[in-house]
Amino acid sequence: MCGIAGGFGAIFTPSSVDSVLSDRVLFRRGPDETIVKVFDRGFFVMVRLAINGGALQATPFLDESSQRSCIFNGEIYNYKDLARTFGVALDPSASDGQLILPLYDRIGDRLFDLIDGPFAIAIYEQSSRRLILARDRFGEKPLYVYRRHNELYFSSELSVFRTMGLAQKADRDSIVDFLSFLWVPEPKTQYEGVLSMDPGSVLEFDGQHLKKTWYIRETSFDEADSKSMEFNFDESSIHVRDLIARSVRLRNDTSSSCGAFLSGGLDSSIV
């Protein structure tokens, strides 16, 4: 896993970067590389565990032509398929995350719906001075946000907000939730003012206005749809086997050794 953090706003001070860099909880997520980028109105920090590709030369993913920068936590299992489909030329040693900016330049937010895999993505557009955050549809990768006046901060770890001096009070309702359910239902967190970003959503922030949209498409099925999707047992078995085989194959397509924790139940025995 990797970790990302950053901030954007009119009252940004460089000391915020130093605070993030002092947070050891965030750094346990990425022992291989630390990436820092400071903008005129914000900053990005990324700690990286290298699963695909080599070192990124201490810079975030950067597109000079569009003046966009990107940091990323997650894995894009189908990044090679997407690169072929949309004609994006990638270096053979490229990380999966290096597909994000050229593909975003071509298809915009549609990119997030096409990604197969868990992710938390932050993109900064220098030309429009706009911050874009996106989280995978199932919420596998954490992404927390905190807004203060005309500033927006984000992180993979809650502890970062405390080291930046932003989240100093516990959320009492969340404490009650935890004692009742043994977890805190999203979007609340244990810190007052810090929220978990909704799975399948995109946040856009220009320093004044915060806009939330959903990239996941609504689907509905009626009786006619269900009849057209009927399978017999043999066809269904083949279809499920093909889907599982493809899923396992994509997850094994890395430049690092692959391991798995399997419980020995029915689903993991199939894998």
Side-chain angles (χ1 to χ4, degrees), residues 144 171 173-174 177 184-191 194-196:
Y144 305 102
D171 186 285
D173 289 341
S174 296
D177 287 340
V184 178
E186 294 185 353
K188 293 189 294 183
T189 70
Q190 55 263 47
Y191 292 118
V194 180
L195 297 176
S196 179

Side-chain angles (χ1 to χ4, degrees), residues 36-56:
V36 179
K37 177 69 175 178
V38 178
F39 310 103
D40 54 345
R41 298 177 63 192
F43 67 95
F44 277 174
V45 174
M46 176 178 174
V47 292
R48 183 166 178 257
L49 175 66
I51 301 298
N52 287 304
L56 302 179

Side-chain angles (χ1 to χ4, degrees), residues 48 50-57 61 72 76 79-80 83 88-100 102 253-256:
R48 183 166 178 257
I51 301 298
N52 287 304
L56 302 179
Q57 290 76 48
F61 309 116
F72 162 65
I76 304 175
Y79 77 102
K80 292 180 181 178
V88 178
L90 292 178
D91 186 273
S93 61
S95 162
D96 51 349
Q98 290 175 308
L99 173 76
I100 294 172
D253 188 12
T254 70
S255 55
S256 302

Side-chain angles (χ1 to χ4, degrees), residues 107-170:
I107 61 176
D109 289 356
R110 186 179 164 221
L111 156 69
F112 307 129
D113 190 37
L114 296 177
I115 291 177
D116 180 4
F119 63 84
I121 296 173
I123 298 173
Y124 177 64
E125 291 186 339
Q126 182 75 29
S127 57
S128 62
R129 293 188 173 184
R130 185 170 62 124
L131 174 68
I132 301 154
L133 302 175
R135 189 181 181 199
D136 66 81
R137 59 177 58 79
F138 294 115
E140 289 187 61
K141 292 300 179 183
L143 190 57
Y144 305 102
V145 295
Y146 178 91
R147 185 176 182 181
R148 181 178 65 181
H149 307 301
N150 292 330
E151 299 172 310
L152 185 70
Y153 295 88
F154 64 92
S155 176
S156 300
E157 290 284 353
L158 285 169
S159 61
V160 169
F161 299 101
R162 291 204 65 183
T163 59
M164 286 195 291
L166 299 173
Q168 301 298 320
K169 293 183 179 180

Side-chain angles (χ1 to χ4, degrees), residues 257-268:
S257 299
C258 185
F261 291 100
L262 302 176
S263 66
L266 178 62
D267 51 351
S268 61

